[in-house]
Amino acid sequence: MEPALIGTRLASAAIGPLLKKLLVSDGPGAGLTGGARAVRLSSLVSFRGEKRTLTEKDVRKLAAALVERSGSAPGEAPFPADETEAVAHTLGTTLLALGDLDMDDVQAVRLGHRDLARRLRAAAPAPDGLSTDSVLYLESMTEWACLHILEFFTQRSTFVARSLVEQTRGQAELIVKVDTLLTGTAATTAQDAAFERRYLAHLAKKHGSLTIYGIDLHHSAKEWPLDVAYLSLEAAGPAEPTTPAPVRQELAKTHLRADHALARHDKVLLRGLAGSGKTTLVQWLTVSAASEDRADGMAYLYGRIPFVLPLRALTRHGERLPGPDRFLSAAGCPLTAPEGWADRVLAAGRGLVLVDGIDEIPETERGRAREWLRDLLSAYEGNRWLVTARPTAVGNDWLARDGFTDLALSPMSRTEVATFVHRWHRAAGPEAEPYEQQLLDALRTTEHVAQLATNPLMCGLVCALHLDRRGYLPRGRKALYESALSMLLSRRDRERGMANPYGIDLDAAPQIQLVQRLAYWLTRNGRLQMDRAHAESVIAEAVPAMVEASAYAPDRVFAHLLHRSGLLREPTADTIDFVHRTFQDYLAAKALVDHWDIGVLIDHATDDTWEDVIRMAVGHARPHECAEILRELLTAADAAEDRWDQLRLLILAATALNHATEVTPAVREEVLARAAELVPPRTADEARELATVGRIVLDLLPGPEGLGEEEALMAVTTATHIPSDAAIPYLARFARGSTLRVRSQLVWGWQRFDARAYAEAVIAVIDPTDLHFTVVHDDQAAELVRLGIAPNRLEIGDGVSAEALRDLLAACDPHTLFLTREGDEPDLAALAGLTRLETLSLDLPSAHFWRLSDLPSEAPLRTLTFGSWPEEGIGALRSASLLRKLSLWEAHPLTTHDWREVTLLTQLRQLAVATVDLETLPEEVVLPWISGLLVSTHDAETPRFEKAVRAFPGLRVFALFSDSGHEVDVASLAGLEGLTELHANNLLLTGTEHLAPTVRILT
């Protein structure tokens, strides 16, 4: 019998008169005379003190009567009949402890009936030898009795008077304390608040617009409001899609919006290629925190104070990275904060620290940057941290032990590209409108065009050039940049009929030669910014040697390049940099080839910041120069001692082939033959790296015939990361007869290709057995419905609209569903019609509330996972009689009350919680029916399991999961006598020698 039902067996009319016998009759007044002593419970109960009217024997009779009445009601008995006498004795002992509590009636009421019952049970001897049902009955009966006891206290005439006196005294003490505090802090608090208003307004204005390169061709604004221009991209976690679903739900969200990453994880290392939108994301987070009006899902930034820290600016001269007191000045903020303000913000855990561009400082300085970060992390807890970098700038474990979640920005999907193109043409004005559909058609049908538009920067250039050339686009990345530079440096002002404000009339070629000198200096010195005075001297030195430019004063030439080239900008009054890193890389590569500094290129071949420079250098080089660069890369790969360096050099050579204007067949074959040595790759990281070579890798990939499972998986992983529909026929060959891991990768890769073409070639023929179908947008959902595919296991992302979700679930009625919904009030109506659902995972990160009543009432639900707390509390799940597994991994930290609600769920057999939840386990909570416990830990601290050993004596399986790979001591688990299996994912276990030899340890 469920103990929560005991209260219905003892109506208030029955229990009230019995319990009233415990209490003394009411007396007049507030009990404040006679030294104003507190009215203790010992003087309120009738079996203690000078007004004794009941003996201990009477109290035990009273307890027996309560037990008899609750047991005589119709229905199942709440405990075994042979334990009735022992239960009555224990209840009587517990009620007698009421007279031993050192508190008054006001304190008791403030405590509440549950905590009062806990105090009673703690004061009384523990039950000995009773069954679980009897113990649960006693807990519920004690709480029920305490509820009525407190009700009697509040009815006493003295209670109200005493409460008012206690409140008055408490308020007086509070006023004194607050006055003392305000005397020293009121001025500072007011000053801080006033400054924060100014600071947030400054950030909102500074970061509230976005430059879209190339859009200022004709009568249109170069900058858009950020809320119009911002395109939310997805970030991918480190786990592969073949990771078992329950683990994947905890360790890595395969898909989540990049701007929601900090809602799930306090610390994020975000990787992305040049132009992928990392800095734009930093702007968006800054403005979302600084503005009153926030986009959907961004409410988690309310009250956060952003600190934008672009490392390229902080270390321009190799300076020491700043402490909080210098955050604003180092980042170029003109405002002066009150002394100690930044320290107070971070100490209070209110900060949003955005460290942009680990890759934009020299590799030799990155270790120092990591120590700087670690010092900040150890000094300030509770803040949110975002660090951005290029994909290969730092290793996978660079910040892992500091609790950072490693995510990577995904390439733009077809839908995202189409959205960007539409917004671009709308902002460009009426003259651009006729070209929008033409470009969309080209992106869908012309592969070389689609390969260019993979990130926001390149999309903007493609749109601008397509409009500028009236529908014609150059082939290849080098040709695209050449056309962009021609457009920016010469044709733009002429075609817009603009005069020369600086009196400079230069063609594109001399301007490029001048600007590339700046790019060359920055790249050689590992910098992204340089002093304006030094930049002026570089140009002044070059101008006299250039025939066309020598007719002008060097300072006017510099001013023209800075303000009219569209390539340079002034981040501060005394510095200059390129509008985007890509332009610097392109021009530096041209300068290196012009000077034929091949030794410099090869010396930096393993430096991630030089990868694009080397690729573009191959594009600039003449045939014999191109051959020499490629052969030097192969030689460097042979000499590399590190496997990863060798891999990167070979892939760099292979990807550089795509940039070459002309290369001899012999050199091409040699490079491809060496790249073939990497096929199939050994790991998922190698597979993703190999995919960057592009579609030519498809000719190197084997299979599926003759491949083992791991080889087939790595081949498919490589192909699913090649952004070309040319990969679809290759992947279709694996759709039949492959293992579950390979088929999972195929389904995961669907999002990267045309939804219909991929669905017809792969999804329609794939074996669905035990397969999770991942659906992240409406086009995929529509294809499943159109083709009549009804997966039993579905993983549906927030990119699927409520309408598409409803249609898909109605068509599938799955038995396993992983559902992500964003927004404050998620629409879960589509769940109501499900009749076969056995496993449900609800990922509702922004939900203020949801209701358990939203769950399908007719479904045989056995496994449930959720993060946002249901409105009714988890105790309401006791009606789900078939529920066996409950996961609260991402729920709010469990309170003692929550744990007591868990004790109502006697049907459970497996429970999943976080490490922090074990710390709040009340002493009296024992869950012997739980045989499997899964615990996740998100930080580098070693958790302790003594409370778990006490609370879960029936455990047979204990599992630990982590996203940081730290060390955990499990010696305390030796207290679990029935333990048979210990699982550890991404953890180093110590203390295993203390466990019984019969325990299987699986890692």
Side-chain angles (χ1 to χ4, degrees), residues 7 62 337 464 498 558 667 730 765 799 873 959 982 991 1003:
L62 177 65
M498 291 188 65
F558 176 80
V667 173
Y730 174 79
V765 298
L982 174 60
T1003 58

Side-chain angles (χ1 to χ4, degrees), residues 299-312:
Y300 75 92
L301 294 177
Y302 177 79
R304 295 283 171 179
I305 304 298
F307 295 96
V308 184
L309 304 174
L311 287 184
R312 60 185 174 274

Side-chain angles (χ1 to χ4, degrees), residues 148-326:
H148 282 267
I149 289 170
L150 296 184
E151 174 67 13
F152 286 129
F153 287 169
T154 61
Q155 291 174 354
R156 300 177 69 247
S157 60
T158 59
F159 177 80
V160 175
R162 282 194 46 75
S163 295
L164 290 174
V165 171
E166 290 293 327
Q167 289 177 7
T168 301
R169 289 172 176 170
Q171 288 173 354
E173 293 177 2
L174 181 61
I175 289 171
V176 172
K177 292 176 181 178
V178 171
D179 283 346
T180 302
L181 179 64
L182 289 180
T183 300
T185 63
T188 302
T189 303
Q191 191 178 18
D192 284 359
F195 173 76
E196 285 176 15
R197 287 192 293 271
R198 292 181 60 215
Y199 176 61
L200 294 177
H202 165 75
L203 290 178
K205 184 176 181 180
K206 178 179 179 180
H207 297 283
S209 60
L210 181 65
T211 300
I212 304 296
Y213 306 110
I215 192 147
D216 57 339
L217 293 175
H218 301 281
H219 307 288
S220 58
K222 183 178 181 179
E223 293 186 339
W224 300 355
L226 186 62
D227 57 354
V228 173
Y230 179 72
L231 183 66
S232 179
L233 300 178
E234 288 187 340
E240 287 300 297
T242 50
T243 303
V247 181
R248 183 170 71 253
Q249 289 289 310
E250 166 60 14
L251 297 182
K253 302 300 178 183
T254 305
H255 299 282
L256 81 157
R257 279 178 49 176
D259 52 2
H260 290 178
L262 287 176
R264 302 176 183 272
H265 311 285
D266 290 341
K267 298 184 281 289
V268 171
L269 172 61
L270 184 70
R271 303 173 187 266
L273 296 170
S276 60
K278 301 186 297 295
T279 299
T280 303
L281 174 64
V282 168
Q283 285 185 250
W284 177 251
L285 293 173
T286 301
V287 171
S288 296
S291 304
E292 292 293 332
D293 298 325
R294 294 175 182 83
D296 188 33
M298 304 303 292
Y300 75 92
L301 294 177
Y302 177 79
R304 295 283 171 179
I305 304 298
F307 295 96
V308 184
L309 304 174
L311 287 184
R312 60 185 174 274
L314 303 186
T315 62
R316 185 170 69 247
H317 302 297
E319 302 96 331
R320 179 184 178 87
L321 287 164
D325 60 322
R326 292 182 50 242

Side-chain angles (χ1 to χ4, degrees), residues 437-631:
Q437 190 57 49
Q438 187 183 79
L439 179 56
L440 289 173
D441 292 340
L443 288 166
R444 187 176 63 255
T445 61
T446 309
E447 187 173 333
H448 80 270
V449 176
Q451 287 178 336
L452 292 174
T454 57
N455 61 54
L457 171 69
M458 300 304 292
C459 268
L461 286 180
V462 167
C463 290
L465 286 170
H466 185 264
L467 174 59
D468 182 62
R469 294 179 168 230
R470 299 297 184 263
Y472 166 75
L473 280 173
R475 294 182 67 91
R477 194 175 178 192
K478 176 176 177 290
L480 180 73
Y481 281 113
E482 287 177 344
S483 300
L485 290 174
S486 173
M487 176 183 68
L488 292 171
L489 293 172
S490 61
R491 295 180 56 202
R492 181 183 61 172
D493 283 354
R494 291 176 185 171
E495 293 182 5
R496 295 172 70 180
M498 291 188 65
N500 296 324
Y502 299 97
I504 304 297
D505 185 15
L506 293 174
D507 287 334
Q511 293 186 73
I512 289 174
Q513 288 188 357
L514 290 169
V515 176
Q516 76 184 33
R517 288 176 176 258
L518 301 177
Y520 181 77
W521 185 92
L522 287 166
T523 301
R524 283 293 305 269
N525 289 277
R527 300 294 173 190
L528 291 177
Q529 286 187 0
M530 63 191 301
D531 290 342
R532 176 175 176 141
H534 186 63
E536 288 176 330
S537 68
V538 170
I539 298 300
E541 182 181 344
V543 164
M546 303 183 67
V547 176
E548 190 176 341
S550 61
Y552 304 106
D555 60 335
R556 292 170 65 192
V557 174
F558 176 80
H560 171 81
L561 294 173
L562 179 59
H563 298 293
R564 299 307 312 155
S565 70
L567 293 173
L568 302 174
R569 64 179 181 180
E570 293 179 282
T572 66
D574 61 346
T575 62
I576 66 107
D577 65 3
F578 281 83
V579 293
H580 200 278
R581 170 73 173 272
T582 301
F583 291 114
Q584 177 183 319
D585 290 345
Y586 175 86
L587 292 167
K590 188 175 184 303
L592 283 159
V593 171
D594 288 349
H595 290 87
W596 196 232
D597 285 338
I598 186 172
V600 175
L601 284 171
I602 302 305
D603 286 346
H604 291 85
T606 57
D607 185 340
D608 63 277
T609 63
W610 281 69
E611 288 179 356
D612 267 354
V613 177
I614 294 171
R615 292 188 188 100
M616 292 180 184
V618 171
H620 286 297
R622 289 169 293 187
H624 71 279
E625 296 169 337
C626 177
E628 186 173 351
I629 295 174
L630 293 172
R631 285 194 170 118

Side-chain angles (χ1 to χ4, degrees), residues 42-101:
S42 58
S43 66
L44 292 176
V45 293
S46 57
F47 49 85
R48 290 287 169 89
E50 58 191 39
K51 297 185 178 180
R52 180 191 304 241
T53 58
L54 287 179
T55 65
E56 181 174 327
K57 183 179 180 180
D58 293 328
V59 174
R60 295 200 177 279
K61 285 183 179 179
L62 177 65
L66 287 170
V67 172
E68 181 184 359
R69 292 194 187 184
S70 65
S72 62
E76 180 187 358
F79 52 82
D82 59 355
E83 294 186 2
T84 301
E85 184 176 347
V87 168
H89 175 80
T90 304
L91 178 61
T93 301
T94 304
L95 293 177
L96 283 167
L98 187 65
D100 296 326
L101 296 184

